[in-house]
Amino acid sequence: MDYVAALVPPVVMAVFFIALVRVIVKTQGGAAKAKEDAAVDAALVRTQAGQGAASIEA
């Protein structure tokens, strides 16, 4: 019975890890994806604009 006690914690952790990965994959995309993509694109544009202004000043 010691082998069962030794195997239970890794099996439980593996099940929770797989469940976590499934939740992360399922929540990607959906209705908020376009809004998140737009926010990232805006941040990239701001960053690139700041780098362009810095190179002109130098």
Side-chain angles (χ1 to χ4, degrees), residues 25-44:
V25 168
K26 282 187 174 186
T27 57
Q28 298 300 310
K33 183 170 179 23
K35 188 168 124 181
E36 292 170 359
D37 288 346
V40 170
D41 289 341
L44 286 173

Side-chain angles (χ1 to χ4, degrees), residues 4-34:
V4 173
L7 289 176
V8 168
V11 170
V12 171
M13 290 189 333
V15 168
F16 280 118
F17 181 73
I18 291 170
L20 175 66
V21 170
R22 290 189 66 194
V23 168
I24 290 172
V25 168
K26 282 187 174 186
T27 57
Q28 298 300 310
K33 183 170 179 23

